[in-house]
Amino acid sequence: MKGLKPATVASKKPVAESLKPKRTMKKEKVEKVSKKKDADAPKRPAGAFFIFMEEFRKSFKLEFPDVKSGPAVGKAGGEKWKSLTATEKAPYVEKASKRKAEYEIALKEYENKKQDCIVEAEKSVVTEKSASACEIHDDEAGQEVSS
């Protein structure tokens, strides 16, 4: 009679190794360098939907004074906006385009004013009066103007 063959344990991992938690390679997080917002810059205008929502919130509040949750108003407004035809959306789109045109004009004026202040700061020694009129908040434009 042949003898029993010994079990080959070499192919199996020891119990201790299988109980260890597996190491996962963590991906390094890439930090985004965001540009700081300038507090003096003009605010971007609302789009057509948000102009619609300004009016819709008022009418919704009159119809349903008990509903106080924001998501309910937003959901109802979104459904109403989707059901509107292009001709019904036209006044809101027109208001949005007017606001955008006003914003672009204000932005150009702001950028010109900012550029003038930068040039003025580079040309002359800044006094207390001119520093208050032309404060520079943007790090790209240079250091803050102070006396």
Side-chain angles (χ1 to χ4, degrees):
M1 197 178 202
K2 292 186 180 181
L4 296 173
K5 292 184 180 179
T8 56
V9 182
S11 64
K12 294 185 181 180
K13 290 183 180 179
V15 176
E17 284 184 23
S18 64
L19 295 177
K20 287 183 183 178
K22 293 184 179 179
R23 289 187 179 180
T24 57
M25 298 280 294
K26 291 185 180 179
K27 293 182 182 178
E28 292 182 27
K29 293 183 180 179
V30 179
E31 293 183 24
K32 292 183 180 179
V33 179
S34 61
K35 189 176 177 182
K36 292 184 180 179
K37 290 188 178 184
D38 192 352
D40 297 333
K43 190 175 177 182
R44 290 186 64 178
F49 173 70
F50 287 101
I51 294 171
F52 164 77
M53 284 302 293
E54 289 172 4
E55 294 177 12
F56 181 78
R57 279 188 196 94
K58 293 174 187 173
S59 63
F60 188 82
K61 192 172 183 179
L62 292 175
E63 291 178 30
F64 305 101
D66 297 338
V67 177
K68 306 249 181 193
S69 70
V73 177
K75 191 168 187 169
E79 290 172 1
K80 177 75 173 175
W81 178 256
K82 286 179 185 177
S83 67
L84 293 177
T85 62
T87 55
E88 293 171 326
K89 291 180 183 180
Y92 304 109
V93 174
E94 185 178 328
K95 287 180 187 177
S97 63
K98 285 181 183 177
R99 288 187 187 183
K100 185 174 182 180
E102 292 170 3
Y103 165 75
E104 289 174 354
I105 292 169
L107 185 64
K108 285 180 184 178
E109 290 174 359
Y110 169 75
E111 288 175 351
N112 289 338
K113 180 182 173 187
K114 187 175 173 181
Q115 190 65 29
D116 290 344
C117 289
I118 293 169
V119 170
E120 183 181 315
E122 290 174 353
K123 285 184 179 179
S124 65
V125 177
V126 180
T127 62
E128 288 181 14
K129 290 181 182 179
S130 64
S132 63
C134 296
E135 284 190 27
I136 301 170
H137 297 287
D138 196 7
D139 290 338
E140 291 178 7
Q143 298 174 355
E144 281 190 13
V145 177
S146 62
S147 52

